[in-house]
Amino acid sequence: MYKKSLNNDKFKQRKFVLLGEQLFYYKKNMIGMQDKYYNLISLQNARISVLKASPEKLKVDKMYNYCFELENDTRTWILACKSQEDLLQWHKTIYTQIEQVSKRIAI
């Protein structure tokens, strides 16, 4: 998957791993020898939605074709997939995990 940078409109490829109520993302280190832990996204109080890109954004970057937004109490991330199939799979998986986290908190 790809993550949109906060500083500009560029998407950068990252490795994402969903573990429980956290979505970790990694980037390659400068040498490229190992994956380096980069950050995590908490799914507590999170919301996810598929984004519909404007024609103007699609002209700037085709990555906007398969985007979704993931938001929690601290930040909003824009993530992109390579295909509609990948988008639907990631969306369903993350949405299901958010629902499970919400049910655990409510109990």
Side-chain angles (χ1 to χ4, degrees), residues 3-6 8 10 14-15 20 22-23 26 29 38 40 47 58 60 62 82 87 90-91 96-98 101:
K3 182 186 82 65
K4 185 178 170 295
S5 172
L6 281 175
N8 56 47
K10 292 185 180 181
R14 298 289 182 253
K15 178 180 174 182
Q22 297 177 327
L23 180 63
Y26 301 78
N29 65 14
Y38 188 65
L40 67 91
R47 294 155 301 284
L58 288 172
V60 173
K62 297 290 185 203
K82 288 184 176 182
L87 171 66
W90 271 108
H91 185 278
T96 300
Q97 195 62 34
I98 289 171
V101 169

Side-chain angles (χ1 to χ4, degrees), residues 27-105:
K27 69 177 181 177
K28 295 278 185 191
N29 65 14
M30 298 303 283
I31 301 169
M33 299 293 284
Q34 300 178 327
D35 287 334
K36 177 183 172 186
Y37 169 75
Y38 188 65
N39 213 335
L40 67 91
I41 302 169
S42 172
L43 299 181
Q44 284 189 344
N45 299 318
R47 294 155 301 284
I48 187 170
S49 58
V50 175
L51 294 179
K52 186 71 175 169
S54 67
E56 294 80 27
K57 285 211 180 218
L58 288 172
K59 286 180 186 175
V60 173
D61 194 333
K62 297 290 185 203
M63 294 302 299
Y64 282 103
N65 273 323
Y66 310 113
C67 277
F68 63 93
E69 184 176 80
L70 184 57
E71 179 182 6
N72 65 18
D73 292 336
T74 60
R75 185 174 157 200
T76 300
W77 291 263
I78 297 177
L79 306 174
C81 299
K82 288 184 176 182
S83 68
Q84 182 72 18
E85 183 179 329
D86 286 350
L87 171 66
L88 295 174
Q89 185 175 5
W90 271 108
H91 185 278
K92 179 181 177 182
T93 302
I94 294 170
Y95 179 83
T96 300
Q97 195 62 34
I98 289 171
E99 289 293 305
Q100 290 176 0
V101 169
S102 297
K103 286 178 185 175
R104 279 197 302 266
I105 292 172

